[in-house]
Amino acid sequence: MDIFSIVMLIAAIFFLYFVIRNINKNTFLLSNAWLWLLIAAGLVVFALIPSIPEYFAQLLGFQLTSNFLLFLAVFFLLLQGLIHSIQSSKQHTQIITLIQEISMLKSKEEQDHHGE
């Protein structure tokens, strides 16, 4: 194992530790962290067995393994962005619904109060 592989392995293990630590501290929910766990585990596997990304790079026609890894990074970031957009849209709709429900309750309460 060369020095680059050792550095990659240490960085991957640190990243995996960081993700798990933030899940345990409830910094973010496990349902939002699955992709980060997948990426961290993949980094550890790629650091331990560098022939895996090389194989997939050749299989998919990438000239350099680094191009394949960059492609994977961009793909996962796009996927994460899409997931966050979907969650944001759902939360926006939920906030609008909550505001409407609170407004109706306040209006009903004011009508009940003025009716007495």
Side-chain angles (χ1 to χ4, degrees):
M1 196 173 229
D2 62 345
I3 189 73
F4 181 72
S5 296
I6 293 170
V7 170
M8 286 292 295
L9 180 60
I10 291 170
I13 290 171
F14 177 72
F15 184 72
L16 181 60
Y17 167 76
F18 181 74
V19 171
I20 292 171
R21 184 170 161 248
N22 281 308
I23 292 170
N24 288 336
K25 290 175 114 184
N26 290 327
T27 304
F28 53 75
L29 300 174
L30 183 60
S31 61
N32 295 335
W34 68 269
L35 186 60
W36 293 116
L37 285 171
L38 179 69
I39 291 169
L43 287 173
V44 171
V45 170
F46 285 178
L48 289 173
I49 311 169
S51 59
I52 292 175
E54 291 171 6
Y55 170 77
F56 283 110
Q58 288 178 349
L59 181 70
L60 297 173
F62 288 91
Q63 290 183 356
L64 298 172
T65 305
S66 59
N67 290 348
F68 170 68
L69 294 174
L70 183 62
F71 168 78
L72 278 181
V74 169
F75 175 77
F76 279 116
L77 288 173
L78 285 173
L79 183 61
Q80 189 72 15
L82 178 65
I83 290 168
H84 283 302
S85 293
I86 291 168
Q87 287 176 338
S88 175
S89 295
K90 285 181 181 179
Q91 289 173 347
H92 180 74
T93 303
Q94 289 172 339
I95 288 170
I96 289 173
T97 302
L98 285 171
I99 290 171
Q100 291 172 344
E101 288 174 0
I102 290 170
S103 295
M104 289 188 308
L105 286 172
K106 282 185 177 181
S107 175
K108 184 179 179 187
E109 184 180 304
E110 287 176 4
Q111 287 177 357
D112 289 345
H113 181 60
H114 288 299
E116 291 177 5

